[in-house]
Amino acid sequence: AGKKYLDSLPQPPKDGSPKDNAAWWKGLTDEERAALVSLRPDAVGALDGVPSAVRDEANRVVFDETRARQQLELNSIPKPPANEWTWITAGGYPAKVHTDEWMEWHRKYGDRYEYLNKSLHGMQDIQKRFDATGTNGLPEAYLLGFSAEGDGRAIVANGNPDTADHQAVYVPGTTSDLNGIGGDVDRMVNLWSAARSEADGKTVSTITWLGYDAPDDVVKDAPFEHYAYDGAPAFTRFLDGLEASHSGDTPPHRTVIGHSYGTTLIGAAAEKGTLNADDVVLAGSPGVKVSHATEMDVPKGHVWNEEAKGDAVPDIGRWGHGGDWFVIPSDPEFGANQLTTDTEGHSGYWNPGSDSLKNQALVVTGNGADAPLKPPPDPWAHVK
């Protein structure tokens, strides 16, 4: 009976664009909307162009059901044996090896046990962000996408992007997955706090977009470009969805931000499609597949780059993801605005209180012209 009723409801447009999805949703009655969220939360929550509040409601249903189901499954698995290790003599020397009991447990349950623990850890971190709403003025969180399949997917917004004057969408890089989503969510919490101070009273929404399969390993996976090109269409649709669902009086100012391999995905999206953004910020970029800032599909002068002292990724990554002649955004010939940084290494760009974070906040709030830039390199430095 439930299936028959569901089939009788207006279905989302097949392979619809975000604009198509938005028009479909607007054409539904309140009863039809409530039924679809209740009966097909997975489908509604995944539709770019549907209002963010609706996607959040639907995805939280999926989130809660997934979390409960996985916790029950984990509880049903026997705990790993306490006697994991033993000593044997091999070639006359003592050697530490797994016990037969532990090896048998690992054969039966090990992979699934590890997957469930990692998945639930990520969901716990997302729940922490939900629970932090109101702390230090932090706005409501919106779950704009969620799946625990494979490495997992999660799209988490601070504040409602549909009503925000400024939107920032952050794409994390290599090794990003549901298990580690907490760190990426925290980065956008830090950016939201910094941007609020620069927004002159206007509203800001910062979004962590883990909507693609990121490379799992720096050495074995990150050198390959297919992760970027495979994920780029979903990113483009998400940005178009933000455009279609926005309900403010004026169009929002939208910034896309990439870290590490996330910048490569943004470059692939700009190269292969239309990047629906006003500004691009690249941090620790190994290359964006294109050779010049004018190829990033944003207005001239609106590509910004950060490379911190001691960040080895840009120079190593250029050989796999640089443009012509291995050009990367940190090179003068790329043509990006080189923002100053006061952090070190590959992962400090969102440290609270840092200039690296403040400069991003200036760009996100449309005040990039006020952000300090690094002086151009001295062409005669080698002579001096």
Side-chain angles (χ1 to χ4, degrees):
K3 183 180 185 304
K4 185 176 180 180
Y5 174 65
L6 179 61
D7 291 342
S8 72
L9 296 172
Q11 299 301 305
K14 185 178 180 181
D15 301 323
S17 69
K19 285 186 177 179
D20 293 335
N21 296 337
W24 167 77
W25 185 259
K26 288 178 181 178
L28 299 176
T29 65
D30 289 343
E31 179 184 351
E32 289 169 339
R33 292 173 180 175
L36 285 161
V37 170
S38 176
L39 296 172
R40 288 301 309 277
D42 55 333
V44 174
L47 285 176
D48 295 310
V50 169
S52 294
V54 175
R55 296 184 71 176
D56 175 63
E57 180 183 359
N59 283 315
R60 291 209 191 199
V61 173
V62 177
F63 176 87
D64 289 339
E65 290 179 348
T66 302
R67 192 179 183 190
R69 184 174 63 252
Q70 290 195 353
Q71 188 64 60
L72 285 171
E73 182 182 355
L74 180 64
N75 293 344
S76 71
I77 296 176
K79 295 292 187 290
N83 56 330
E84 179 179 352
W85 300 97
T86 188
W87 290 91
I88 64 171
T89 300
Y93 295 94
K96 188 178 182 181
V97 298
H98 287 295
T99 63
D100 291 341
E101 183 183 5
W102 188 91
M103 289 293 291
E104 178 65 12
W105 176 90
H106 189 269
R107 184 184 66 80
K108 288 183 177 179
Y109 309 112
D111 290 346
R112 189 64 180 172
Y113 187 82
E114 180 182 19
Y115 162 76
L116 290 170
N117 272 290
K118 287 183 175 180
S119 183
L120 286 163
H121 177 263
M123 284 184 265
Q124 182 182 32
D125 282 343
I126 292 174
Q127 185 64 52
K128 285 180 182 178
R129 171 57 192 91
F130 293 161
D131 297 340
T133 296
T135 304
N136 297 321
L138 196 61
E140 187 74 39
Y142 289 78
L143 188 60
L144 304 181
F146 177 78
S147 171
E149 297 298 320
D151 287 342
R153 304 283 191 274
I155 306 172
V156 182
N158 302 296
N160 189 343
D162 293 353
T163 58
D165 299 302
H166 300 286
Q167 302 169 341
V169 186
Y170 161 70
V171 184
T174 300
T175 73
S176 298
D177 57 16
L178 183 58
N179 176 51
I181 192 69
D184 291 314
V185 169
D186 287 345
R187 286 176 175 178
M188 287 303 97
V189 167
N190 294 342
L191 181 58
W192 181 88
S193 297
R196 182 176 63 160
S197 301
E198 307 293 340
D200 299 323
K202 293 186 176 181
T203 52
V204 178
S205 176
T206 58
I207 304 167
T208 298
W209 187 84
L210 180 57
Y212 79 114
D213 180 24
D216 291 329
D217 186 88
V218 173
V219 176
K220 293 188 297 182
D221 302 312
F224 295 98
E225 64 181 20
H226 70 85
Y227 295 95
Y229 287 112
D230 290 347
F235 184 61
T236 300
R237 287 195 302 272
F238 179 75
L239 297 179
D240 291 345
L242 292 179
E243 186 82 11
S245 64
H246 195 264
S247 58
D249 294 332
T250 58
H253 168 252
R254 185 176 303 114
T255 304
V256 295
I257 303 169
H259 178 231
S260 194
Y261 196 93
T263 70
T264 309
L265 183 145
I266 291 172
E271 180 187 11
K272 295 296 184 180
T274 300
L275 196 65
N276 199 337
D278 303 293
D279 284 277
V280 173
V281 176
L282 309 167
S285 176
V288 292
K289 311 310 295 184
V290 299
S291 306
H292 198 271
T294 55
E295 299 175 78
M296 292 299 295
D297 199 36
V298 291
K300 184 177 180 180
H302 286 259
V303 177
W304 313 80
N305 186 67
E306 290 188 336
E307 181 180 336
K309 180 180 179 182
D311 188 345
V313 168
D315 280 331
I316 294 174
R318 70 166 70 241
W319 309 110
H321 301 303
D324 295 339
W325 303 103
F326 309 110
V327 170
I328 61 173
S330 296
D331 296 330
E333 55 266 41
F334 185 84
N337 300 302
Q338 302 296 330
L339 296 168
T340 60
T341 57
D342 60 343
T343 52
E344 294 190 11
H346 190 55
S347 302
Y349 296 100
W350 293 271
N351 289 350
S354 67
D355 289 342
S356 302
L357 179 63
K358 180 179 179 180
N359 289 342
Q360 288 190 40
L362 288 169
V363 174
V364 166
T365 54
N367 298 310
D370 297 332
L373 303 179
K374 294 179 179 179
D378 184 355
W380 299 100
H382 64 290
V383 176
K384 296 177 182 177

